Amino acid sequence: MGCCESAERTKREWKPLEDRSCTDLPWFLLFTLFLVGMCGICGFTIATGGAARLVFGYDSYGNTCGQRNEPIEGVRLSGLDHIDRKFVFFLDPCNIDIIQRKIKSMALCVSQCPTEELATYYDLKRFAMMNGSELCSYELPGHKYPQLPERFEKCPKLPVPESKALPVFNRCTPVDISCYAKFAEAVVTFVSDNSMLNRLIAGVAASKEIIVGLCLLALVLSMILMVIIRYISAVLVWILTAMVVLGSLGGTSVLWWLYIDYRMTMNETMSKPDLREIEEPNGGMKPTKDHAQGLLIYAVSATVFTGILLLLMLFMRKRVALTIALFHVAGKVFIHLPLLALQPFCTFLALSLFWVYWIMVLLFLGTTGNPEKNEDTGLVEFRLTGGLQYMTWYHAVGLIWISEFILACQQMTVAGAVVTYYFTRDKTKLPVTPILSSVLRLVRYHLGTVAKGSFIITLVKIPRLILMYIHNQLKGKENACARCMLKACICCLWCLEKCLNYLNQNAYAATAINSTSFCTSARDAFMILVENALRVATINTVGDFVLFLGKILIVSCTAFAGVLALNYQRDYTEWVLPLIIVCLFAFLVAHCFLSIFEIVVDVLFLCFAIDTKYNNGTPGREFYMDKALMEFVENSRRSMAMEERGRSKRARPKEEAPGTSSA
């Protein structure tokens, strides 16, 4: 597809926003055909009755409820007319296979779910006579239920609980769900076998209000940080640096103070024989020891983290001016393009809609195929056989490719808007809605490029997921060498995926600038990055580091607030699981809010590198960059000139030394 073109092509100059043409049209056609295949799978499930069986339900003889059915060869009581029987009734709804997550009970189509509890077979007879809804197998007449010997096998298990039909799927579901107590018993048995897990679960249950409050705090902090990024980006780096350092030092000090306080309290308690005799038989001392040990672990971990963070800040301090200039421009981008902050929500909405569709079609596939009688249970099941079973794999690939395609569309949209802003010298002449213009440009010209880039990521992600699945399936069975090789392969594929994601993002930006194909854009962007490796690497590293500090700041503040809140709740002693839940949510929220800013910064890096390569500020070759970046370039030139003069002055005496000695 043109990835290996002649070297002369790389010498052409960049012409931002001048010409537009469709890129990677064959890949757009291929992606369109793939989408047609995805829709074909959905249509196949609907045409073959899989969707109807899922929505309306079917009985254990392969009959769809609420419809006339065709007989199935070799299955008795199939091909019945169930137009008046629209509800699925399970003879034993609580007979659930926890491992396979299936209801093992026989299912029948009935005209009405039992509206009251039926305790005897005479109640079943009365319900059938009054409502015309026979709850036993079809071959048993309702008026003979109490006398038939088959009633114990082909009638519902007594007592029949009061049921209510689900709104859409027409399954009779018990109103009192206490019959599903075996699930709770299984969970309780599992938890009670592990005292630590039991205490962790109890800790989460006891602190659910605190967890919700801390999650809301993380959301508020992320929104405040976005406001800071937008309006006071010039001092953002200094604010983050000071707050992270002070927060880390303060949090570490508080943890050590809490640990010392608990140690002193525990020593005082142990020194009093009366209290010790009362508490030890009830196990009251053990939670205090565990609490102190947990605080010690948190304090030591915080100390190590703070030390590493201070070392990083020490090495990065000289590049603060560059980061300030870059973030100043990124802040201006968000001021001119405020709708960029809404991109994560639009992407999340698109992904959510697609995932709902994908799950629904997957459920359709689960009830599609040829009817087969299960010899163990005697129930009819629908299974895909032959070549049809590959539709599930096709559908699984579609989940990855289309999800990556949606994420790539977000990257291309943001890149197109930022490129338009950067390479428009007069900012008053920007389009009225640069985001909408970028979306329209993407749809009109560059869907093929996005499809190709997302397919490359899919090719790397699928083998990694397969290896992860194999590793999980072979856990405890493979030898140490095989386990090490699997983990190494998974790690390498993960690193390759991250590198390709970064290259793809720059390729999308290059396509937004020059309207070139994916491979050409990827190669041009790669050459630009290599030529400006030190400059771009510095900017990229510092920018990502500052955004990482922002995420760490939100997580640290949330975790610190969690430690203070949980410290005063003495109902339990384990803080691990509540803090992990809160910190994960805080990081995800911060990442969601800062991901768009990170994309903006990366696109600005590439634009800055292109601008400094092809322009030098002279008439006819003026810079496109903002004044803040221009001032940084001028300061860099002056510092480089001063260094050159300093080196020349130091070298001049060495050159004159031989002449002096000869004289």
Side-chain angles (χ1 to χ4, degrees):
M1 291 296 178
C3 290
C4 302
E5 298 178 6
S6 61
E8 297 179 358
R9 180 68 174 167
T10 61
K11 297 180 180 179
R12 61 165 178 76
E13 292 190 359
W14 293 64
K15 299 179 180 180
L17 309 175
E18 291 188 7
D19 300 319
R20 286 287 154 193
S21 60
C22 293
T23 56
D24 296 297
L25 186 58
W27 280 93
F28 170 71
L29 297 177
L30 178 63
F31 185 71
T32 303
L33 291 176
F34 185 84
L35 292 179
V36 171
M38 293 285 291
C39 295
I41 292 176
C42 181
F44 173 80
T45 59
I46 296 175
T48 55
R53 281 190 287 270
L54 176 67
V55 175
F56 300 111
Y58 61 97
D59 61 17
S60 298
Y61 306 105
N63 301 300
T64 302
C65 298
Q67 297 182 4
R68 288 189 178 91
N69 297 275
E70 298 294 331
I72 301 173
E73 183 179 356
V75 179
R76 66 183 187 88
L77 298 178
S78 62
L80 300 179
D81 185 357
H82 284 331
I83 291 181
D84 296 330
R85 299 173 177 177
K86 299 180 179 180
F87 303 100
V88 181
F89 174 73
F90 299 98
L91 301 189
D92 187 6
C94 297
N95 187 9
I96 301 174
D97 186 350
I98 299 178
I99 304 300
Q100 300 295 329
R101 297 180 297 276
K102 291 182 179 180
I103 296 178
K104 300 169 65 176
S105 168
M106 177 180 289
L108 300 174
C109 294
V110 298
S111 58
Q112 184 178 342
C113 298
T115 56
E116 58 182 352
E117 183 178 278
L118 306 176
T120 65
Y121 291 105
Y122 289 98
D123 293 337
L124 292 177
K125 174 184 175 180
R126 177 177 53 83
F127 183 78
M129 294 297 100
M130 292 180 59
N131 302 291
S133 182
E134 299 178 348
L135 303 182
C136 294
S137 187
Y138 305 129
E139 72 270 21
L140 303 182
H143 63 281
K144 294 184 179 180
Y145 283 169
Q147 294 83 25
L148 293 175
E150 300 95 336
R151 65 183 184 276
F152 299 106
E153 298 177 357
K154 298 184 178 181
C155 285
K157 183 179 179 180
L158 297 179
V160 179
E162 178 186 354
S163 301
K164 185 177 181 180
L166 294 177
V168 178
F169 295 97
N170 298 330
R171 269 72 169 180
C172 294
T173 306
V175 176
D176 184 7
I177 60 174
S178 60
C179 70
Y180 298 113
K182 60 174 62 181
F183 279 107
E185 292 175 2
V187 174
V188 171
T189 301
F190 172 73
V191 173
S192 62
D193 290 340
N194 191 327
S195 59
M196 176 61 71
L197 184 59
N198 187 19
R199 290 160 64 185
L200 291 176
I201 299 297
V204 174
S207 60
K208 53 183 180 295
E209 295 85 2
I210 295 178
I211 293 176
V212 173
L214 292 174
C215 291
L216 292 177
L217 175 63
L219 181 62
V220 172
L221 290 176
S222 300
M223 296 176 65
I224 293 175
L225 185 59
M226 285 298 296
V227 173
I228 293 175
I229 290 175
R230 178 175 176 180
Y231 291 106
I232 54 174
S233 58
V235 296
L236 174 64
V237 177
W238 298 111
I239 292 176
L240 285 176
T241 302
M243 292 185 67
V244 168
V245 171
L246 294 178
S248 299
L249 293 175
T252 303
S253 302
V254 170
L255 286 173
W256 280 111
W257 176 79
L258 290 174
Y259 170 70
I260 295 173
D261 178 64
Y262 265 89
R263 290 292 300 180
M264 293 176 63
T265 303
M266 187 172 62
N267 292 336
E268 292 177 0
T269 304
M270 294 182 65
S271 63
K272 297 178 180 180
D274 297 337
L275 293 178
R276 185 172 56 193
E277 291 176 359
I278 294 174
E279 293 180 354
E280 283 184 355
N282 297 327
M285 285 299 297
K286 189 176 185 301
T288 304
K289 293 179 180 179
D290 291 342
H291 202 158
Q293 185 177 6
L295 283 174
L296 177 61
I297 295 175
Y298 300 144
V300 172
S301 302
T303 303
V304 174
F305 172 79
T306 302
I308 296 175
L309 187 62
L310 290 177
L311 289 176
L312 289 175
M313 299 292 292
L314 179 64
F315 287 111
M316 305 290 284
R317 69 186 189 281
K318 294 184 179 179
R319 298 179 174 96
V320 171
L322 176 60
T323 306
I324 291 176
L326 182 67
F327 273 54
H328 181 73
V329 178
K332 286 187 176 181
V333 172
F334 275 90
I335 292 175
H336 285 85
L337 311 176
L339 295 181
L340 281 177
L342 299 179
Q343 287 302 302
F345 300 100
C346 297
T347 303
F348 177 75
L349 178 62
L351 286 173
S352 299
L353 293 176
F354 168 68
W355 289 341
V356 169
Y357 164 82
W358 187 88
I359 292 173
M360 289 300 299
V361 175
L362 183 65
L363 294 176
F364 292 165
L365 284 172
T367 55
T368 302
N370 300 320
E372 295 183 359
K373 187 175 182 180
N374 191 319
E375 299 299 333
D376 296 332
T377 61
L379 309 180
V380 174
E381 299 176 356
F382 292 87
R383 297 176 181 174
L384 294 172
T385 57
L388 297 179
Q389 59 185 338
Y390 293 105
M391 288 194 302
T392 306
W393 292 101
Y394 187 96
H395 194 59
V397 173
L399 172 65
I400 301 175
W401 191 4
I402 298 177
S403 298
E404 292 295 331
F405 178 84
I406 294 173
L407 294 174
C409 286
Q410 172 187 286
Q411 294 177 350
M412 177 70 86
T413 299
V414 175
V418 175
V419 165
T420 301
Y421 171 84
Y422 189 96
F423 289 106
T424 301
R425 285 194 170 91
D426 188 358
K427 306 304 180 186
T428 61
K429 296 182 179 180
L430 285 171
V432 179
T433 55
I435 301 295
L436 181 59
S437 300
S438 180
V439 172
L440 295 177
R441 191 162 58 242
L442 164 65
V443 174
R444 183 177 180 182
Y445 297 111
H446 306 311
L447 285 179
T449 299
V450 172
K452 187 174 183 178
S454 57
F455 181 76
I456 293 175
I457 300 298
T458 303
L459 286 182
V460 178
K461 182 166 288 188
I462 289 177
R464 183 169 66 86
L465 294 176
I466 292 175
L467 290 178
M468 292 175 64
Y469 174 78
I470 295 174
H471 182 266
N472 291 331
Q473 292 297 315
L474 298 179
K475 187 173 293 184
K477 300 178 182 179
E478 78 279 15
N479 55 35
C481 182
R483 184 167 56 251
C484 181
M485 291 180 62
L486 276 175
K487 290 184 177 179
C489 292
I490 293 172
C491 182
C492 291
L493 289 174
W494 181 84
C495 294
L496 178 60
E497 181 183 337
K498 293 301 180 182
C499 294
L500 288 176
N501 269 321
Y502 180 74
L503 182 60
N504 280 8
Q505 183 174 303
N506 285 281
Y508 299 147
T511 299
I513 295 172
N514 270 337
S515 188
T516 50
S517 63
F518 176 82
C519 286
T520 302
S521 299
R523 185 198 59 212
D524 293 343
F526 180 75
M527 296 301 296
I528 287 292
L529 296 177
V530 170
E531 291 173 2
N532 300 269
L534 295 178
R535 177 184 294 174
V536 176
T538 300
I539 297 174
N540 192 22
T541 302
V542 174
D544 290 345
F545 179 71
V546 171
L547 293 178
F548 174 74
L549 288 183
K551 299 175 185 178
I552 293 299
L553 175 63
I554 294 174
V555 175
S556 300
C557 293
T558 307
F560 179 60
V563 170
L564 294 180
L566 295 172
N567 179 54
Y568 294 100
Q569 184 166 331
R570 307 299 176 88
D571 296 341
Y572 62 97
T573 60
E574 300 300 335
W575 295 2
V576 178
L577 196 55
L579 282 179
I580 288 177
I581 293 174
V582 169
C583 291
L584 285 178
F585 183 84
F587 182 81
L588 290 176
V589 170
H591 177 74
C592 186
F593 273 87
L594 296 178
S595 60
I596 295 300
F597 192 87
E598 187 173 358
I599 295 176
V600 170
V601 170
D602 289 338
V603 175
L604 285 175
F605 292 163
L606 184 65
C607 295
F608 176 78
I610 295 170
D611 198 10
T612 54
K613 178 179 180 180
Y614 292 102
N615 301 304
N616 55 14
T618 59
R621 298 182 65 183
E622 295 86 357
F623 287 120
Y624 287 95
M625 67 182 65
D626 189 85
K627 291 182 179 179
L629 286 176
M630 201 174 297
E631 290 176 0
F632 169 76
V633 172
E634 294 299 327
N635 293 335
S636 299
R637 289 178 177 177
R638 285 195 294 267
S639 62
M640 291 178 62
M642 292 177 62
E643 290 179 1
E644 289 292 336
R645 287 196 297 268
R647 283 196 293 267
S648 62
K649 289 180 180 180
R650 288 193 297 269
R652 193 173 302 158
K654 296 180 181 179
E655 295 175 356
E656 295 176 355
T660 304
S661 59
S662 60

